[in-house]
Amino acid sequence: MNTATTTANGHSVGHDDHGHHPTGLMRWITTTNHKDIGTMYLWFSFAMFLVGGCMALTIRSELFQPGLQIVRPEFFNQLTTLHGLIMVFGAIMPAFVGFANWMLPLQIGASDMAFGRMNNLSFWLLPPAALLLTTSLFVPGGAAAAGWTLYPPLTIQLGMGMDMAIFAIHILGISSIMGSINIITTIFNLRAPGMTLMKMPLFCWTWLVTAFLIIAVMPVFAGAVTMLLTDRHFGTSFFSAAGGGDPVLYQHIFWFFGHPEVYIVIIPGFGIVSHVISTFSRKPLFGYASMVYAVAAIGILSFTVWAHHMYTTGMPVTAQLYFMYATMFIAVPTGVKIFNWTATMWRGSLSFETPMLFAIGFIFLFTIGGFSGLVLAMAAVDVQMQDTYYVVAHFHYTMVAGALFSAFAGAYYWLPKWTGHMYNEKLGQLHFWLTFIFFNMTFFVQHFLGLAGMPRRIPDYAVQFTDFNQISTIGAFGLGLSQLLFLYVVITCIKGGPKAPAKPWEGAEGLEWDVPSPAPYHTWEVQPIVK
Amino acid sequence: MLTQIANAAYQVNFQEPATKLAQTVYDLHMMMMYVCGAIFVGVFGVMFYSIVRHRKAPGRVAATFHENTTVEILWTVIPTIILLFIVWPVTKTVVAMRDATSADITIKATGYQWKWGYDYIKGEGEGIKFKSVLSTPREQIEGKAPKGEHYLLEVDNHVVVPVGKKIRILTTAEDVIHSWFVPAFAVKQDAIPGFIRDTSFRAEREGTFRGQCAELCGKDHGFMPIVVDVVSADKYSDWVAEQKTKMAAVADDPAKVWTMDELKTRGESVYAQNCAACHQPTGKGLPPAFPALDGSKIATGPKEGHLDRVLNGKAGTAMAAFGKQLSDVEIAAVVTYERNAWGNKVGDMVQPSEVKALRQ
Ligand code: HEM
Ligand SMILES: [Cu+2]
């Protein structure tokens, strides 16, 4: 452990006495400081968000009208695949790891993450993986073109872009497993005296559950793509019936990873939203304990429902029924969380700064996503919806309105702590409203497209789907452009703006508000004590 | 043109059901919408009440309560009970849906990159088989001609079935996973290479019903529609008779020796249906994923190599083994065509008997 350790009287000892502190570029490359690493994660994730967003806009441009106008079908498939992979693994997951790096030590009163060097490594694994994914567009045969789910036997047909994607997934997996080990160790070992697990801020709890999920399922995914790799190059036939394998086996393995994965991208957001709602309601979170149990229950249940993505593969009717019941049951703990947030706002003293707007937007839209999930859970109905635009709408309501909105809520909430300045509140609110309106314009109409039978992952469609596709495309451009406003707000906030006090939000609770804003490079040299 | 068709476009729910099961699915969906709608109004009614009435204002003091075991138990138990009520009708539907027994007619649907093959294997019409390929002209797709009414939802050969009879569909695939999806029947079943799965439907009314492949199956995934004509029992019998005569007429005499011109003409149509999707009508392909045939080493080299590639495909690429899909005559014709079309001027030809010999 290379972080500064603190003696009882507060003197700092360790490698980072100010004299030998690397500056300039080397500061970032070699840093073991959780705040530097958190910042790098956040910037990386935003950059990837823009890259994946440009791909989405290209897809949507092609879909503005029926007919092929802008891209060829095979390139279209490459774009959908990379858009999905990049958004999930490059944008959302790193964003939350960035939040974890920045905030966990501050929230639990630790001076840094448990393993500084490993922390540095887990960040620096990301850029090569991102490079592999994006440059695969330009190799012979192009990028992987089988959707982010990478189902064989289609993936067996693809060119070297597919191998690059597999390699990238291995690297990303290693990175997130190391990150998770770091988070778990930090939470278990470095909490301030007096901070019992049940006193821990909810964001720490949600990350604790998430980190366990990551450690449990990333190796599963790595295994699945490794089997793909050997099927492609070394003559095995795990997924080929001709050689005694089974293409559906891949789907089972993939979704055993993939379903918990969709909770991995949302659970940390639950934590952030809980803080924000309670802060701006000026009331303690309602049902802290049941929140913790609900998150844990959702985490555990997420392992038991994977085949609800596979109702049309022809599994036995008993299996279909089991997966349907289990899936519907997840609605109960999810409902408990929504009710708790509502009760937190009830009879509070509410104000609506940008983080609060994003948090309320989150609850509202995520609930819609939850309802469409309930519709999809009914196996008989899912047969109509599976692989149509209804599913695209559903998962964007959970991943964009869920994960992304909570990430924005968190970003605005903690920006003063990170930068020492207040962001421009007016522009922040404008960013929210633009995002909210254009988001619904983009994705709400896709429910209708799916109900009417438009399959997903198609570059061209029948004319009766035209109108809603045009609305969706216009919305997507609005949504994409609005994010540049966010970039502007963040940059101006870093550069200046009104000085932020240590605790800029009246109702905020928690150790992170005891340190000055911006949080000094080394905090908690004297461990705080929690009563 | 566009707006004219688009008038019918504001469809915000399922297509009109054509089977009892599809109607049940429709009703289940509506029931769920009402349940969700009610919960939504309840929860967000409370939340918006707070947003309006409990906003920060001079003199407003926030309450401090932060738990209440009774309500927490209540709002765990009540949703559970609601779910139990929903589960019962859905369970019945799922069970009914998965029952494909005692069918009147059994049809095998095989997914290929990128077309469907149909074999009527049991019941009236047994023995009929055909391929069903997208028939929307390329010019419409590329925007060089106005789009027709059933743009992308039309094929050369429709599946025809009698109304009111239970039809069992067996699905399988030759290359990658496809999915046989006809919304009005509430039928979607993956077609998995090496495995056979089944589903069924009993159409309640006559008409033409259109769907599309619903599993990403490569480049032309968006271009493999499914069209089913539901007709009266009489019309169906007529269709069966007509198909049988047609099949007898086109059945190729295996002993016949073909001329170059005959082979080239036949080959051109086989090429258009099976090869042009990847290698393009011009033979230029889409390199590097789909190599050009015009001037290719294989198409201008020894004909054994060329035949081998067409019969057996190339593992690990989208080049299928057409030996299983096409007859000896079709293979002989298409190989001959490829060797003599565009800039290829090899000048030799392949007879069906040579293909037959190679298959052994
Ligand atoms: C401006 C915002 C976005 C737009 C306009 C957009 C649009 C799209 C479109 C058009 C598709 C293709 C759907 C299909 O044909 O299957 C898609 C797929 C997908 N998107 Fe997004 N998206 C956006 C943001 C996001 C974000 C933030 C995430 C993740 C957190 C995300 C995750 C996915 C995933 C996982 C897929 C599935 C890819 C696949 O089919 O393999 N998207 N998106
Ligand atoms: Cu297909």
Side-chain angles (χ1 to χ4, degrees), chain B residues 38-58:
Chain B
I39 300 175
F40 195 86
V41 170
V43 174
F44 288 97
V46 171
M47 188 180 290
F48 280 104
Y49 183 84
S50 294
I51 288 176
V52 175
R53 300 300 294 274
H54 301 157
R55 51 175 56 239
K56 191 181 166 201

Side-chain angles (χ1 to χ4, degrees), chain A residues 65-69 72-74 77 80-81 139-142 145-147 151-154 156-158 241 245-248 251 281-290 312-317 320-321 324-325 328-329 331-332 335-336 338-343 345-352 360 363-365 367-368 371 374-375 378-388 390 448-468 471 506, chain B residues 2 5-15 22 25 28-29 31-33 35-37 39-40 43-44 46-52 54-57 60-68 71-72 75-76 79-80 83 86-87 90-91 93-95 97-98 113-114 138 140-143 147-153 175-177 179 181-190 192-195 197 212-223 286 288-290 316-319:
Chain A
Q65 272 179 38
L68 293 177
Q69 292 92 22
R72 302 275 93 203
E74 54 280 15
N77 292 345
T80 30
T81 309
V139 301
Y151 282 4
L154 186 56
I156 310 294
Q157 292 182 349
L158 304 172
D246 181 350
V248 181
Q251 301 184 15
S281 303
R282 295 170 179 76
K283 251 181 83 204
L285 183 70
F286 186 89
Y288 170 89
S290 60
T312 61
T313 55
M315 63 177 97
V317 65
Q320 246 179 17
L321 290 175
M324 177 170 90
Y325 301 151
M328 291 183 133
F329 192 63
V332 175
V336 166
I338 310 264
F339 299 140
N340 279 341
W341 286 320
T342 313
M345 289 165 68
W346 184 249
R347 291 182 45 216
S349 165
L350 279 63
S351 62
F352 301 96
I360 296 175
I363 300 177
F364 190 78
L365 300 175
T367 305
I368 298 181
F371 283 142
L374 213 48
V375 173
M378 302 191 291
V381 181
D382 177 77
V383 166
Q384 283 278 55
M385 322 272 216
Q386 153 90 79
D387 269 315
T388 68
Y390 193 90
F448 304 139
L449 288 171
L451 289 170
M454 175 168 163
R456 66 192 277 216
R457 297 168 169 169
I458 56 175
D460 190 6
Y461 50 83
V463 280
Q464 74 258 36
F465 302 129
T466 309
D467 303 64
F468 288 135
I471 296 174
E506 188 189 347
Chain B
L2 261 183
I5 295 162
N7 279 340
Y10 290 102
Q11 185 186 338
V12 294
N13 206 335
F14 287 136
Q15 295 181 15
V25 167
L28 282 175
H29 177 242
M31 170 194 77
M32 194 55 127
M33 295 308 285
V35 172
C36 292
I39 300 175
F40 195 86
V43 174
F44 288 97
V46 171
M47 188 180 290
F48 280 104
Y49 183 84
S50 294
I51 288 176
V52 175
H54 301 157
R55 51 175 56 239
K56 191 181 166 201
R60 168 140 204 104
V61 184
T64 53
F65 67 88
H66 55 86
E67 56 192 5
N68 181 331
V71 298
E72 288 182 65
W75 69 38
T76 314
T80 310
L83 282 179
I86 293 173
V87 149
V90 188
T91 302
T93 317
V94 171
V95 173
M97 216 173 206
R98 298 288 290 139
Q113 280 171 318
W114 289 273
R138 222 43 228 179
Q140 290 188 18
I141 297 174
E142 317 247 289
K147 303 201 184 336
E149 186 187 2
H150 295 300
Y151 177 71
L152 291 194
L153 296 177
D175 32 49
V176 304
I177 302 175
S179 190
F181 173 33
V182 180
F185 302 159
V187 162
K188 184 184 289 144
Q189 182 60 54
D190 289 0
I192 303 163
F195 292 83
R197 295 289 147 89
Q212 284 176 275
C213 174
E215 180 69 54
L216 178 57
C217 56
K219 172 171 92 65
D220 281 357
H221 166 51
F223 305 100
L286 295 164
F290 305 106
T317 71
M319 180 63 196

Side-chain angles (χ1 to χ4, degrees), chain B residues 308-324:
Chain B
D308 175 64
R309 180 55 48 86
V310 176
L311 276 170
N312 303 318
K314 182 168 181 200
T317 71
M319 180 63 196
F322 285 94
K324 279 179 265 170

Side-chain angles (χ1 to χ4, degrees), chain B residues 106 118-130 244 247:
Chain B
T106 304
Y118 296 98
D119 293 80
Y120 285 58
I121 55 180
K122 235 172 118 195
E124 190 184 356
E126 187 174 327
I128 295 176
K129 54 167 66 180
F130 54 85
K244 292 260 159 96
M247 281 173 58

Side-chain angles (χ1 to χ4, degrees), chain A residues 450-492:
Chain A
L451 289 170
M454 175 168 163
R456 66 192 277 216
R457 297 168 169 169
I458 56 175
D460 190 6
Y461 50 83
V463 280
Q464 74 258 36
F465 302 129
T466 309
D467 303 64
F468 288 135
N469 271 300
Q470 298 196 328
I471 296 174
S472 181
T473 298
I474 297 169
F477 273 86
L479 186 56
L481 290 176
S482 312
Q483 307 320 311
L484 299 179
L485 181 59
F486 175 67
L487 185 63
Y488 175 79
V489 173
V490 171
I491 289 176
T492 44

